[in-house]
């Protein structure tokens, strides 16, 4: 698939088939993340890959977050759905150096976000659907513990990855977005 076409047409999809990236495909996904823009070359992130056999542990963490944050029954039920939705989940942790005199914490978080997006694109380019999940789920104490978070770290999200459910092609937007209203030009 043409790179510009993918960049202009990609979209998230929450429907997955049963196939997860293999070892080589996962390595490609992680290598793409390691090339994200990174002021100070800090690599302020860590990735936690959860394969199908690890989904019960993820479910426990998400269920604990539902209790911890007093989520309603509808949101609490999502713990089961999220932990069974895709054959692979990648947790992304921003490993923030709050004492860095050169790179502020917000910039380190942006770098981890860029790494996450690079992983989405690398997965899409290899024929996998992706969706990036955040909200309160990623702030739960049990999930943070499972991911090895330190006090100042920030879980950026959960990247769900799997084969397309409907056919062999990933879901793409039919049209590109209009740039109108998003750009100012200073001459």
């Amino acid at each position: 698939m043409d790179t510009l076409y993918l960049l202009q047409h990609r979209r998230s999809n929450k429907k997955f088939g049963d196939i997860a990236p293999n070892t080589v495909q996962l390595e490609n996904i992680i290598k793409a993340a390691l090339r994200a823009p990174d002021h100070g070359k800090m690599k302020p992130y860590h990735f936690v890959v959860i394969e199908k056999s690890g989904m019960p542990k993820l479910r426990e963490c998400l269920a604990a977050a539902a209790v911890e944050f007093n989520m309603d029954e509808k949101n609490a039920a999502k713990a089961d759905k999220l932990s069974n939705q895709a054959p692979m989940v990648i947790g992304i942790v921003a490993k923030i150096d709050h004492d860095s005199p050169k790179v502020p914490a917000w910039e380190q978080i942006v770098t981890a976000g860029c790494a996450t997006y690079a992983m989405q694109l690398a997965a899409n380019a290899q024929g996998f659907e992706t969706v990036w999940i955040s909200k309160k789920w990623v702030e739960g104490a049990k999930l943070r513990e499972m991911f090895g978070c330190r006090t100042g770290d920030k879980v950026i999200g959960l990247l769900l990855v799997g084969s397309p459910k409907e056919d062999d092609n990933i879901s793409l937007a039919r049209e590109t977005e209009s740039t109108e209203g998003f750009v100012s030009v200073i001459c």
Side-chain angles (χ1 to χ4, degrees):
M1 178 182 313
D2 176 68
T3 304
L4 282 177
Y5 188 87
L6 174 60
L7 288 169
Q8 294 177 9
H9 290 85
R10 74 144 305 276
R11 69 181 185 95
S12 295
N13 189 353
K14 294 181 181 179
K15 296 179 183 175
F16 299 95
D18 296 328
I19 301 170
N22 63 33
T23 304
V24 172
Q25 292 164 327
L26 179 59
E27 182 82 2
N28 289 334
I29 291 168
I30 302 299
K31 283 184 175 183
L34 298 177
R35 297 305 305 160
D38 181 13
H39 182 199
K41 298 179 182 166
M42 297 177 72
K43 303 252 186 266
Y45 38 68
H46 180 76
F47 311 114
V48 179
V49 178
I50 304 166
E51 296 179 331
K52 201 67 169 168
S53 61
M55 294 302 171
K57 291 178 187 173
L58 176 62
R59 192 218 165 279
E60 284 179 31
C61 293
L62 298 178
V67 172
E68 182 179 349
F69 297 115
N70 298 314
M71 294 182 184
D72 61 21
E73 286 184 34
K74 181 181 175 188
N75 278 311
K78 286 185 180 179
D80 279 329
K81 184 177 180 187
L82 286 173
S83 60
N84 288 308
Q85 198 164 350
M88 179 178 282
V89 175
I90 303 172
I92 302 91
V93 179
K95 298 299 240 176
I96 303 167
D97 178 354
H98 291 276
D99 298 322
S100 174
K102 185 177 178 182
V103 185
W106 70 264
E107 196 171 337
Q108 295 172 59
I109 292 170
V110 169
T111 294
C114 288
T116 304
Y117 186 56
M119 286 194 290
Q120 277 193 291
L121 293 172
N124 292 153
Q126 295 179 94
F128 292 98
E129 297 282 16
T130 62
V131 67
W132 181 347
I133 304 295
S134 56
K135 294 176 85 174
K136 287 282 191 189
W137 299 111
V138 301
E139 297 176 15
K142 196 164 186 170
L143 184 75
R144 290 180 54 79
E145 181 182 333
M146 185 171 84
F147 285 1
C149 292
R150 303 170 303 196
T151 302
D153 293 343
K154 175 81 174 151
V155 179
I156 298 299
L158 303 173
L159 184 62
L160 282 62
V161 183
S163 59
K165 185 173 183 102
E166 317 251 318
D167 57 35
D168 291 339
N169 298 316
I170 63 168
S171 302
L172 295 170
R174 290 188 180 108
E175 300 176 8
T176 60
E177 296 282 334
S178 170
T179 61
E180 188 176 329
F182 292 98
V183 180
S184 298
V185 178
I186 299 172
C187 298

